[in-house]
Amino acid sequence: MKNTNILISGASIAGPALAHWLIRYGFNVTIVEKAPALRLGGQAVDFKGETHRTVLSRMGILDDVRKLQTGGTDQEIVDATGRRLAIMPGEFTGGDLEIRRGDLSKILYDRTAPACEYVFGDSITSLTEPPAGDGVHVTFERSAPRTFDLVVGADGIHSNVRRLAFGPERDHVRFLGHYYALVELEEDFGAVPRMYNEPGRMVAVGGPKAPAFFTFASGRLDYDRYDVGHQKDILTRAYAGMGWRVPAIMAAVGRADDVYLDEISQVRIDGYRKGRVVLLGDAAYGNTLGGFGTGLAVVGAYVLAGELAAARGDHHVAFAEYERRLRGYAKIAKNGNTGPFLAPATPAGIRMRNWMFKYRFLLGLMMKLGDKFATDIDLKNY
């Protein structure tokens, strides 16, 4: 085995999932994460179909995920008076297995931390492959420089590794005209999840352990993703004058400590590999809120690690085969934009979206199509 010393950037889902397999195959793994600690909480993520379940089972975490699954709660869509207009079924948003992102992240962290070096509160500043081609020289914001055999960018749609190795984000990420936000509120807005729309804006609150969820249409915004106060100001302006319970919700947002605001966007990149650097998960094939990101990350980690093990660490062979296998499977991430679905631009668009949930056969067709995409890969048993 060669190239056994691997650096992964990103400690959310894709990075620790990859570490799980690499450790099992005998690689030495370091994970660097910009956040000061593991990010808990967050929105629910889901798995669909036999392929996802098979990978979770082979990882040995399927039972752990089932124990912490949220169950996919039905959500009421209401008008300004609170009258129910439609019901979004839990199985539509929750897939076969739904779990909070932070809970899944902790499962993966607990499985890998004893045999993996985690470095929190740090970030890569440069990647250099010497002419001899025997590794990647890496510098960090805080840590001393080190050399690794391979580097994996598993650090999301705004991937730092992708920027350093492949070029500026603007060349690889397409903004889709909407933003979304997740806010952990102290106030209780009811046991039943409810969603309210006005043209170009959506807010959803309530339900078990769920953060408030916002989606709104907007031009490109210039803001600091780590400045909570600035993000609150953006949300306050975006939701000014909205009806239903939104004024009370926005007052609660003003008191919240945990706010996450980001754009809805899509990664468009020609290849996942460059030299000894490879991209995984949203960094390679992200589509915000597309419904397949977590499954793609976990399956992609399984394939990438499996191909590295099968190639005895030969990254030329392994990276090429990983890309070949994931290209077709990840094509779903190139299609669709959830922004107009969650926050239709017109009253007619809102009515049409709601109408869809009244006809179960249409909903069933959409869900079957989703299952087809989720299983559209020949899953090798490495």
Side-chain angles (χ1 to χ4, degrees):
M1 185 79 75
K2 57 183 179 180
N3 295 325
T4 58
N5 191 23
I6 298 180
L7 173 66
I8 300 171
S9 177
S12 181
I13 304 299
L18 178 64
H20 171 92
W21 290 111
L22 291 176
I23 292 165
R24 183 179 294 187
Y25 296 137
F27 292 87
N28 301 313
V29 182
T30 299
I31 298 182
V32 61
E33 167 59 47
K34 186 176 182 66
L38 201 66
R39 287 182 62 90
L40 303 177
Q43 79 276 30
V45 297
D46 63 89
F47 296 99
K48 303 176 177 72
E50 184 62 27
T51 297
H52 293 178
R53 290 194 301 272
T54 297
V55 173
L56 294 175
S57 179
R58 290 178 183 174
M59 293 178 77
I61 65 170
L62 181 58
D63 288 342
D64 294 333
V65 172
R66 282 177 170 155
K67 287 175 184 175
L68 294 174
Q69 65 179 314
T70 57
T73 308
D74 291 351
Q75 184 172 60
E76 293 185 355
I77 302 173
V78 300
D79 65 12
T81 68
R83 180 173 62 95
R84 187 173 69 195
L85 302 174
I87 294 178
M88 187 183 297
E91 60 266 29
F92 177 75
T93 57
D96 296 340
L97 280 172
E98 183 184 79
I99 183 173
R100 292 195 84 184
R101 186 207 58 78
D103 290 341
L104 178 60
S105 182
K106 189 171 188 309
I107 289 172
L108 294 170
Y109 174 80
D110 289 344
R111 288 294 185 106
T112 55
C116 171
E117 178 189 6
Y118 276 87
V119 181
F120 287 100
D122 207 348
S123 182
I124 299 169
T125 54
S126 72
L127 300 168
T128 306
E129 291 193 39
D134 55 355
V136 185
H137 185 68
V138 184
T139 61
F140 301 90
E141 286 183 356
R142 299 175 185 272
S143 304
R146 294 169 64 178
T147 298
F148 296 87
D149 295 321
L150 305 173
V151 175
V152 181
D155 42 358
I157 279 186
H158 303 295
S159 172
N160 183 44
V161 167
R162 189 187 59 229
R163 177 182 61 82
L164 292 170
F166 294 77
E169 181 171 308
R170 64 177 178 272
D171 294 343
H172 305 298
V173 178
R174 178 187 174 199
F175 173 58
L176 298 180
H178 289 76
Y179 282 82
Y180 77 101
L182 297 161
V183 186
E184 296 284 353
L185 302 180
E186 293 295 330
E187 289 80 349
D188 183 359
F189 283 92
V192 178
R194 291 186 172 89
M195 184 171 96
Y196 173 68
N197 280 98
E198 290 181 10
R201 298 185 287 183
M202 182 280 290
V203 59
V205 292
K209 296 171 61 178
F213 179 40
F214 304 83
T215 305
F216 60 97
S218 173
R220 204 72 179 261
L221 300 173
D222 182 17
Y223 70 101
D224 182 351
R225 294 201 312 274
Y226 300 96
D227 186 335
V228 172
H230 194 184
Q231 293 176 61
K232 288 182 182 181
D233 290 342
I234 289 171
L235 282 174
T236 298
R237 290 194 297 270
Y239 284 84
M242 202 168 174
W244 188 51
R245 303 178 68 186
V246 176
I249 294 168
M250 297 314 300
V253 168
R255 296 186 289 270
D257 296 323
D258 191 354
V259 178
Y260 181 83
L261 173 72
D262 202 355
E263 63 187 42
I264 294 180
S265 54
Q266 203 174 71
V267 174
R268 297 290 184 93
I269 195 165
D270 293 334
Y272 307 153
R273 58 200 163 104
K274 190 170 184 181
R276 291 175 172 270
V277 179
V278 66
L279 302 176
L280 173 67
D282 282 351
Y285 26 83
N287 185 342
T288 312
L289 304 180
F292 292 89
T294 304
L296 280 172
V298 171
V299 173
Y302 173 81
V303 173
L304 176 56
E307 293 300 337
L308 277 168
R312 303 296 296 165
D314 185 334
H315 67 287
H316 298 291
V317 174
F319 288 179
E321 188 63 10
Y322 156 70
E323 185 171 315
R324 185 187 72 80
R325 289 184 170 276
L326 261 291
R327 268 284 173 204
Y329 186 56
K331 65 182 180 292
I332 183 59
K334 289 187 174 181
N335 302 311
N337 176 2
T338 56
F341 176 81
L342 292 170
T346 64
I350 295 171
R351 288 194 297 272
M352 185 173 295
R353 192 274 317 279
N354 294 348
W355 176 83
M356 182 195 75
F357 290 112
K358 296 181 181 180
Y359 293 87
R360 302 291 294 194
F361 74 96
L362 286 176
L363 204 58
L365 287 175
M366 288 182 65
M367 292 171 66
K368 284 182 180 179
L369 184 61
D371 287 346
K372 179 179 181 297
F373 283 125
T375 57
D376 190 19
I377 187 173
D378 179 17
L379 199 65
K380 285 173 62 176
N381 191 342
Y382 295 99

